[in-house]
Amino acid sequence: MLEMIAIKNFKLLKDNKFNLNCLTVFSGLNGMGKSSVMQSLLLLRQSYEKNLLPNKGLSLAGEYVKIGNGADVLSVDADDENIGFDLFWSDNIELSLSFEYQSESNVQPIKTEKGVGDCYGQSLFTSSFQYLSAERISPKSSFDVSDYDVNVLNSIGITGEYTAHFIAKNSLTNLSIDALRHPKASSGVLIASIDAWMSEITPGTRVIAKIIPDINQASLHYQFETDSGLTKSFRPENTGFGLTYILPVVTAVLSAKPGDFILIENPESHLHPAGQSALAKLISIAAQSGVQIIVETHSDHFLNGIRVSVSKGIVSSDNVDLYYLSRDIDSKEHSIQIDSPKIDDTGKIAQWPKGFFDEWDNALDSLLSKD
């Protein structure tokens, strides 16, 4: 498991360290550096995939991340012109990387590289990795297929574009983690639990994914249970937008194995509150079962779903870390402030930083104010 990352001179992260847990949740106002933590990991992965690591440099433009040139990433108040990342895994595996600054290049040349143990054999760099961006696939009539992504990388795509292909191929594969099997799933295969977990979002949902060889595309349809049986099949365009948007997240988590590493941006997008809570429960089960998950979220419903999961013993409080990133506008430096609120075994959070999912209380106070 990746236990810690230290980041130097990368965007708002001038010199910051983040302990990472089985489940790590980043939150904060827009533009406060949440995405920068994920981008650090994604830059390293895409540079490795492009054979730029360990010997050549850091790629700022690729499949995972496109963030411009060196001038776009060096911290405004950097004390020197070196961008650095130090990663620490369990079993004393370490990787330290430093890159020279080139303002007009989208490749920052390697300056120093030091690895201890099998650092490039960790899940960040292997097929045991999934990343789902905030911008995911929208409902449409057909979806791309990719034997390389699905069969070799075991990936559903950064936007979930290969989800239909992945489900069609793996629908009857048994879950690697039995704890992820939904109590109402008809069997232990992937599609049964996809249907059951998706039904927590829209009751009675059934997912139908098929490969269409003649056009090298995959189709996706939904059916719904009624008291008289299943409905006809509906195209994704004719169902709720949230179903297709959340399907990649549910699929990625359910298909995970212990030791996998999943990064998810805004998993709650386009979901109603109960669906967000259900998704938090699913992610909590996976984290407790040996899947390392990092989430960026703006949702208090998702956070509360994790808190409830802790209180019910679904995930240990020791396996969850929260980060709230903010910025002191009175500071002379353009840098961030990091708070790490702690969840206790009852799901309570004792110390709430200002701005940390407190808008509900602020709005309620305003409504009840006599002024």
Side-chain angles (χ1 to χ4, degrees):
M1 183 177 81
L2 182 59
E3 296 181 338
M4 195 265 278
I5 181 171
I7 304 170
K8 179 183 178 182
N9 292 338
F10 179 69
K11 303 176 79 170
L12 277 174
L13 306 175
K14 181 180 176 182
D15 188 9
N16 301 102
K17 296 179 181 179
F18 298 91
N19 292 317
L20 303 177
N21 214 325
C22 301
L23 175 57
T24 307
V25 179
F26 285 91
S27 63
L29 300 179
N30 299 104
M32 293 296 107
K34 304 183 303 301
S35 297
S36 298
V37 181
M38 283 203 181
Q39 286 175 353
S40 299
L41 297 168
L42 295 171
L43 286 173
L44 296 177
R45 180 176 175 89
Q46 83 177 10
S47 300
Y48 181 74
E49 284 190 358
K50 296 170 77 170
N51 296 316
L52 294 177
L53 287 181
N55 301 316
K56 297 180 181 179
L58 184 72
S59 172
L60 304 182
E63 183 180 8
Y64 294 98
V65 185
K66 295 179 181 179
I67 51 177
N69 297 328
D72 299 300
V73 299
L74 184 71
S75 296
V76 173
D77 299 299
D79 295 324
D80 58 64
E81 294 186 341
N82 294 312
I83 300 169
F85 306 99
D86 294 325
L87 291 84
F88 301 85
W89 288 271
S90 49
D91 300 325
N92 298 315
I93 298 171
E94 302 176 12
L95 177 61
S96 180
L97 296 161
S98 178
F99 301 94
E100 297 178 5
Y101 171 64
Q102 289 194 357
S103 62
E104 297 181 359
S105 175
N106 62 12
V107 176
Q108 304 300 286
I110 191 80
K111 181 177 181 181
T112 61
E113 189 270 356
K114 181 180 179 181
V116 177
D118 185 20
C119 46
Y120 293 106
Q122 302 307 300
S123 53
L124 173 61
F125 301 109
T126 70
S127 61
S128 297
F129 175 87
Q130 294 273 11
Y131 163 60
L132 286 171
S133 72
E135 184 179 354
R136 295 192 285 276
I137 53 170
S138 58
K140 55 183 182 178
S141 298
S142 61
F143 300 87
D144 292 337
V145 302
S146 172
D147 287 331
Y148 175 72
D149 286 272
V150 171
N151 299 331
V152 178
L153 296 182
N154 196 42
S155 171
I156 60 175
I158 294 169
T159 65
E161 64 268 31
Y162 305 124
T163 302
H165 182 190
F166 189 95
I167 294 174
K169 179 183 180 293
N170 296 288
S171 61
L172 300 181
T173 301
N174 287 319
L175 298 181
S176 296
I177 300 173
D178 189 61
L180 292 173
R181 177 177 174 175
H182 194 281
K184 295 183 179 180
S186 59
S187 71
V189 300
L190 177 63
I191 190 62
S193 279
I194 286 177
D195 287 344
W197 281 104
M198 292 293 288
S199 290
E200 297 244 3
I201 299 165
T202 297
T205 301
R206 293 292 180 269
V207 177
I208 305 167
K210 296 179 180 179
I211 302 296
I212 312 172
D214 291 345
I215 59 172
N216 197 34
Q217 293 277 285
S219 68
L220 184 66
H221 290 83
Y222 300 103
Q223 289 181 297
F224 302 95
E225 289 183 349
T226 69
D227 59 2
S228 58
L230 291 172
T231 66
K232 67 175 186 178
S233 296
F234 292 92
R235 295 176 182 271
E237 305 96 311
N238 297 322
T239 63
F241 192 94
L243 281 179
T244 302
Y245 215 73
I246 198 59
L247 183 60
V249 179
V250 173
T251 302
V253 175
L254 287 176
S255 61
K257 306 179 295 298
D260 282 4
F261 190 24
I262 304 177
L263 308 184
I264 309 174
E265 294 177 349
N266 304 122
E268 74 279 356
S269 294
H270 300 289
L271 281 185
H272 60 83
Q276 295 179 37
S277 297
L279 188 61
K281 178 181 178 180
L282 173 62
I283 287 174
S284 296
I285 295 170
Q288 186 67 20
S289 302
V291 182
Q292 185 172 18
I293 303 176
I294 297 179
V295 170
E296 177 189 339
T297 183
H298 293 283
S299 169
D300 52 353
H301 301 297
F302 183 85
L303 172 65
N304 289 334
I306 293 172
R307 295 173 62 195
V308 170
S309 294
V310 169
S311 71
K312 293 184 176 180
I314 293 171
V315 61
S316 169
S317 60
D318 292 335
N319 289 336
V320 180
D321 277 345
L322 306 177
Y323 285 103
Y324 176 69
L325 277 61
S326 59
R327 185 166 63 87
D328 182 2
I329 61 173
D330 296 323
S331 173
K332 294 181 180 180
E333 292 189 344
H334 185 62
S335 59
I336 61 169
Q337 176 179 321
I338 301 171
D339 291 290
S340 185
K342 302 299 180 185
I343 301 179
D344 67 20
D345 291 340
T346 68
K348 295 180 180 178
I349 298 176
Q351 300 294 327
W352 287 75
K354 182 179 179 180
F356 178 68
F357 296 108
D358 58 6
E359 187 57 29
W360 170 259
D361 291 333
N362 294 339
L364 187 60
D365 288 344
S366 179
L367 288 169
L368 296 177
S369 174
K370 295 181 181 179
D371 296 332

